[in-house]
Amino acid sequence: MSTAPLAPRHAIEDVWSYPRPPLLQRTPNLLQVIWTAPDGTQTVLAETDKGYRVCETSHPPTYYLPRDALRVAIDKTGKTSFCEWKGGATYWKVDTPGGAIGNRVWSYEKPTRGFEEIKGYLSFYASDGQGRWKCFVDGEEVGVQEGDFYGGWVTKNITGKMKGGPGTWGW
């Protein structure tokens, strides 16, 4: 059973009200990653209502989906990164209908204390970088957190100036 608190559903949230260190929350929302082919055909790459989100000051939420939400194959890439709160991240290549896309999905295989519940869960950037996959929260297409380092999903209920864009690295 999860010990993480349940996230509010569709409440207006200011990213500056999120804590630091970040907060891990279960989310009741339907999370989807959908691929759209050039002919308009759509394929669900991942879908769940059993995800988590991480909320950190000045960032839109980052969502984590369980592995069983995936409907496509993944393989590790050689890329890694480190989060001072969650630990070492492993990056993945996703086999999409349009070919393999690497390093746009990550997980924490050995997360730090307080984030154990997302061990092995996968987080997708809100876009594959070319607009072929899109992410959704309860059917709402999410916006992309500025920059190419952070992976937050921006929904219409998330407000406030967000880290990631030009001039925000020193925050």
Side-chain angles (χ1 to χ4, degrees), residues 22-27 29 31 33 46-56 60-69 81 83 85-91 105-109 111 115 117-124 150-153:
L23 172 67
L24 177 66
Q25 296 178 314
R26 290 178 295 124
T27 178
N29 303 101
L31 308 175
V33 181
E47 181 175 70
T48 190
D49 63 358
K50 299 191 178 7
Y52 286 85
R53 71 179 195 162
V54 173
C55 298
E56 180 179 354
T62 304
Y63 288 88
Y64 292 83
L65 292 70
R67 292 257 167 97
D68 65 7
S81 65
C83 171
W85 309 114
K86 297 177 287 299
T90 300
Y91 287 79
V105 175
W106 72 95
S107 65
Y108 294 95
E109 300 302 301
F115 292 92
E117 291 183 58
I118 59 168
K119 178 181 179 178
Y121 276 55
L122 300 165
S123 189
F124 286 72
Y150 302 109
W153 292 12

Side-chain angles (χ1 to χ4, degrees), residues 54-78:
V54 173
C55 298
E56 180 179 354
T57 304
S58 77
H59 295 268
T62 304
Y63 288 88
Y64 292 83
L65 292 70
R67 292 257 167 97
D68 65 7
L70 278 179
R71 297 185 182 174
V72 292
I74 60 171
D75 292 300
K76 283 184 185 178
T77 69

Side-chain angles (χ1 to χ4, degrees), residues 23-45:
L23 172 67
L24 177 66
Q25 296 178 314
R26 290 178 295 124
T27 178
N29 303 101
L30 177 63
L31 308 175
Q32 296 173 300
V33 181
I34 299 176
W35 176 271
T36 302
D39 68 1
T41 304
Q42 293 188 327
T43 303
V44 175
L45 303 181

